[in-house]
Amino acid sequence: MTRGILDTSTIVDLPRVNADDLPDEPLITTITLAELTIGPLVARTDHQRAARQSVLQQAEATFEPLPFDAQAARAFGRVAAALRSSGRKPQARSLDALIAAIAISHGIPIHTANPDGFASIDELTVVPVRRIDPAMGAAPSGVG
């Protein structure tokens, strides 16, 4: 049975991702839960707010998030150093870097619809999750 952390992009797109790209045991982090709580608060329309609130409530009901703990904090230092040495600014990807640190500290891969957000983090295993094009019934080419 494979375990994997679903990042925020994957949770938001969950109805539109290829299920074959998901782990048998999907997990989320407290960072993803925090990101999801922002969505309804910054929505511009009632429809958008309701949709984002629905995603948040589903995540809260489905997952017990992995915390950012002392072990993740130590991993975060390595993640930030790896981003910096590759020329990327850790601050620009701070939430992804925190999610990556939790994944590294648990030895669990990240399943993401946005693999570029986790580029240059050597210790991290990233599993790209393809979005499904509803009109085509398959992932569009070039989507990773």
Side-chain angles (χ1 to χ4, degrees):
M1 187 146 150
T2 61
R3 297 173 74 206
I5 292 174
L6 307 183
D7 78 324
T8 311
S9 70
T10 305
I11 291 294
V12 169
D13 285 343
L14 205 51
R16 296 174 299 281
V17 301
N18 186 333
D20 292 339
D21 297 335
L22 299 176
D24 297 325
E25 184 182 348
L27 306 164
I28 68 168
T29 69
T30 52
I31 308 308
T32 290
L33 194 57
E35 283 187 280
L36 292 174
T37 64
I38 297 167
L41 299 173
V42 299
R44 294 184 181 176
T45 67
D46 288 340
H47 176 73
Q48 192 179 56
R49 184 174 298 103
R52 290 176 179 186
Q53 186 66 35
S54 177
V55 170
L56 170 61
Q57 288 174 328
Q58 184 65 41
E60 289 176 323
T62 304
F63 300 100
E64 182 62 38
L66 296 172
F68 187 85
D69 57 14
Q71 188 175 349
R74 287 187 288 280
F76 178 76
R78 298 190 309 273
V79 169
L83 290 171
R84 186 164 299 184
S85 71
S86 71
R88 298 177 77 192
K89 293 183 179 181
Q91 299 85 343
R93 305 289 335 157
S94 60
L95 296 175
D96 285 344
L98 292 168
I99 293 169
I102 294 170
I104 290 168
S105 73
H106 287 275
I108 301 172
I110 289 184
H111 293 251
T112 179
N114 182 25
D116 291 343
F118 297 95
S120 305
I121 304 171
D122 296 333
E123 290 182 65
L124 182 65
T125 301
V126 177
V127 178
V129 174
R130 297 166 289 174
R131 291 180 181 97
I132 296 173
D133 180 351
M136 303 284 290
S141 63
V143 173

